[in-house]
Amino acid sequence: MTNAQKWVAVFLVLFVGLYFLSMVTGTFEEEPEDLSAYADSTPPTEVSGAEMVKNIGCISCHGADLNGTKLAPAISGLSEYWTRDELINYLRNPSEYDGGERFDDYRAKYPNIVMPSYGNYSVQDLGKIADYLLSKE
Ligand code: HEC
């Protein structure tokens, strides 16, 4: 090999190496689908899920112990119906949720009340709320 050929070989190896490196790191950096939708959410707080439920007004409709009021159903035994991710998505956009008969009943029972959307909260905070709600019997 001439010197020039050696240099070409060195660069080739370098480029191929970099290419694979970027592929590997690229897959590690890949974000779950639509994180951009969360970009405008508030940063996560230090507050627990239970406290958030009190602070951000859930109890004004669902009741102090989340046992239900004239405005909204009791929140209990949710783990029977929801996974954590489903619940987070529901809180982000309740009106889009097609909950079948159970929700048809809710909408008949609370016709003028709309469960507000909490999409402006961070997914971490909604996760804490979801964990808390799912842990309730
Ligand atoms: C303005 C009243 C109101 C507020 C405030 C409210 N909700 Fe609701 N929520 C409802 C109503 C009404 C329903 C019944 C379903 C529907 O109409 O979409 C509901 C349904 C739900 C459900 C589904 C219950 C089930 O049986 O699956 C969950 C979970 C829930 N709310 C959690 C929350 C949380 C957490 C907060 C606070 C972050 C909150 N809600 C704040 C009115 C409210």
Side-chain angles (χ1 to χ4, degrees):
M1 267 208 270
T2 65
N3 255 345
Q5 280 173 327
K6 275 186 200 152
W7 278 113
V8 170
V10 166
F11 278 115
L12 255 172
V13 169
L14 228 118
F15 280 125
V16 172
L18 279 175
Y19 175 68
F20 279 111
L21 202 77
S22 74
M23 265 178 42
V24 172
T25 51
T27 43
F28 280 126
E29 273 166 12
E30 209 167 87
E31 308 268 13
E33 292 180 336
D34 85 313
L35 266 194
S36 61
Y38 307 147
D40 58 352
S41 64
T42 51
T45 57
E46 296 294 315
V47 181
S48 74
E51 284 171 279
M52 284 198 70
V53 163
K54 290 206 175 85
N55 295 345
I56 67 180
C58 314
I59 58 172
S60 62
C61 286
H62 289 283
D65 300 319
L66 301 181
N67 287 332
T69 68
K70 275 183 288 183
L71 303 176
I75 294 183
S76 59
L78 288 193
S79 52
E80 191 180 328
Y81 307 103
W82 300 95
T83 67
R84 184 178 192 270
D85 281 356
E86 285 166 352
L87 198 50
I88 291 173
N89 279 324
Y90 173 70
L91 294 175
R92 298 187 73 231
N93 200 354
S95 58
E96 290 284 296
Y97 182 70
D98 174 14
E101 253 176 59
R102 218 160 59 85
F103 273 65
D104 291 344
D105 289 350
Y106 285 158
R107 279 162 197 159
K109 206 165 162 196
Y110 314 101
N112 302 314
I113 317 289
V114 179
M115 163 79 189
S117 139
Y118 293 91
N120 56 331
Y121 287 88
S122 68
V123 179
Q124 288 91 330
D125 279 342
L126 295 179
K128 283 191 269 183
I129 295 177
D131 286 337
Y132 169 65
L133 297 183
L134 287 169
S135 74
K136 279 186 87 259
E137 288 295 301

